[in-house]
Amino acid sequence: MPTIDVDLQSDTVTKPTQEMRRFMCEAEVGDEQKGEDPTVNTVQAMVAELLGKDAALFLPSGTMCNEIAMRVHCRPGEEMLAHRTAHPIHFESGGPAALAGVNVSPLDGPRGQFDADAVTAAIRPDNRYMPRSRLLWVEQTSNLGGGSIWPLARITAVTDVARRGGLRTHLDGARLMNAVVATGVAARDYAAPFDSAWIDFTKGLGAPVGAAIAGSREFIAEAWRLKQQMGGAMRQAGIIAAGGVYALQHHVKRLAEDHANARRLAEGLAALPGIVLDPSTVETNIVIFEVRGATDASSAVAALLARGVRMGAMGAHTIRAVTHLDVGAGQIERALDAARAVFV
């Protein structure tokens, strides 16, 4: 495999910094299943406060956060409303069906976002022949929407419709802190309209493992039961939870650097022949662009990789690049040099 000098495949490729590694090694630990791990308890308290909820639960992954939320909020056979690009539809190995028995109704809308009218149209009537609409799902930021930020007004509008229709609401906040840094809107304000919300520590925040979901005390009590059932309960988990503590303390504000690097990358790519990209649509750390002409996405990605730059093909003509803490401004320029050699 070629040497990778600039890895833009995802912000999940980040490695813990030396400072984070030391902090994790020195973490105080205990049995988290008994509530005796002080570092796990700390990160849970931090996330509950950050998101303005009663309590939070540390989990191995964001996917487990999502699947547990579905299982708490829905009964098998009920329906979740989510944008057709939502993570559970594409990247959780059929989890909604296999683990929660949940039907998913995909909604449309530009850049990974739907509006209140779409929710109104999707909520099922009270009819025993139809699945019962039970959960509304919002992903902030939208991954396949190019890192687009849901405006708070739109979030309020769609959740208001859901609430009037008797639905529960869930915020997939895998990249919520990117939206917070980009807009200045507090995480608790974004999370307020939702019954449950979570953040990931392993993407832009740069920790190696883990996520945390927050909600009411009743929600978290049931989430704990499902965490145990699904094999997510751990023992001396403070060693990995410490990565989340350090990330929240040190890696949030620096997300602005990733956003600036993504804009620079988008501007450089947009100037190249055969690339369709509007840099003004790049709001956070994700750059999605189309390739036209003789080169398809897979061939272009392979050619970039041969020059030490890794991006991801998301379709026949779609490529995604994601900036993160392991990619600095100089590496963005190297990536653009490689792109100039490929797209000629």
Side-chain angles (χ1 to χ4, degrees):
M1 177 158 177
T3 299
I4 300 172
D5 298 317
V6 187
D7 198 340
L8 296 166
Q9 186 178 44
S10 176
D11 47 7
T12 61
V13 303
T14 56
K15 297 179 176 63
T17 63
Q18 290 302 313
E19 294 79 10
M20 181 183 284
R21 288 172 186 263
R22 283 194 290 271
F23 189 81
M24 293 172 70
C25 286
E26 295 168 2
E28 191 176 357
V29 299
D31 191 332
E32 69 124 39
Q33 292 190 34
K34 295 181 171 64
E36 296 174 355
D37 190 303
T39 308
V40 170
N41 293 342
T42 293
V43 80
Q44 290 175 162
M46 291 173 73
V47 171
E49 172 65 22
L50 180 72
L51 299 182
K53 304 300 183 185
D54 292 344
L57 180 63
F58 181 63
L59 292 168
S61 71
T63 293
M64 186 172 282
C65 290
N66 283 340
E67 297 301 327
I68 284 176
M70 277 181 273
R71 293 188 64 190
V72 174
H73 290 310
C74 303
R75 293 167 56 192
E78 293 182 333
E79 189 166 72
M80 178 178 79
L81 311 182
H83 195 275
R84 66 175 57 257
T85 61
H87 194 272
I89 296 177
H90 297 280
F91 305 119
E92 296 184 10
S93 194
L99 301 177
V102 169
N103 196 53
V104 181
S105 178
L107 307 185
D108 289 313
R111 305 192 64 222
Q113 301 180 28
F114 47 81
D115 60 20
D117 289 341
V119 178
T120 299
I123 295 176
R124 303 275 190 175
D126 185 10
N127 185 319
R128 65 187 174 90
Y129 291 98
M130 298 180 179
R132 179 183 289 115
S133 300
R134 179 56 71 198
L135 180 63
L136 181 74
W137 193 279
V138 169
E139 184 180 353
Q140 177 77 304
T141 63
S142 171
N143 175 11
L144 296 186
S148 70
I149 300 170
W150 280 74
L152 187 55
R154 176 170 291 181
I155 287 175
T156 301
V158 299
T159 54
D160 281 351
V161 172
R163 195 168 294 106
R164 290 196 299 271
L167 279 68
R168 300 181 180 100
T169 55
H170 176 74
L171 177 64
D172 178 335
R175 295 181 175 88
L176 174 62
M177 301 314 295
N178 289 90
V180 169
V181 169
T183 64
V185 176
R188 64 169 45 223
D189 292 336
Y190 279 128
F194 296 94
D195 295 303
S196 56
W198 64 274
I199 61 169
D200 201 315
F201 302 126
T202 70
K203 294 184 172 67
L205 295 182
V209 184
I213 192 167
S216 68
R217 296 195 185 281
E218 294 77 14
F219 174 89
I220 294 300
E222 187 61 21
W224 236 123
R225 179 183 297 275
L226 296 176
K227 171 181 174 175
Q228 192 80 39
Q229 185 183 85
M230 295 166 72
M234 298 170 278
R235 294 298 181 183
Q236 289 72 38
I239 290 175
I240 55 176
V245 173
Y246 187 91
L248 289 174
Q249 291 174 339
H250 300 281
H251 288 173
V252 174
K253 291 182 179 179
R254 64 145 308 280
L255 292 172
E257 300 172 23
D258 299 341
H259 301 168
N261 287 335
R263 287 191 295 272
R264 169 60 189 139
L265 179 65
E267 291 164 357
L269 289 172
L272 300 180
I275 289 180
V276 179
L277 170 61
D278 179 358
S280 69
T281 64
V282 177
E283 298 179 86
T284 52
N285 67 322
I286 298 176
V287 180
I288 293 180
F289 59 97
E290 300 292 316
V291 295
R292 294 289 183 262
T295 303
D296 60 32
S298 294
S299 299
V301 165
L304 287 166
L305 186 59
R307 291 164 173 79
V309 176
R310 184 159 70 167
M311 298 184 187
M314 305 296 287
H317 300 285
T318 305
I319 297 175
R320 186 185 74 155
V322 187
T323 57
H324 50 81
L325 63 82
D326 287 345
V327 172
Q331 289 167 294
I332 294 297
E333 297 307 319
R334 290 204 290 277
L336 288 173
D337 286 342
R340 292 182 189 106
V342 170
F343 298 101
V344 293

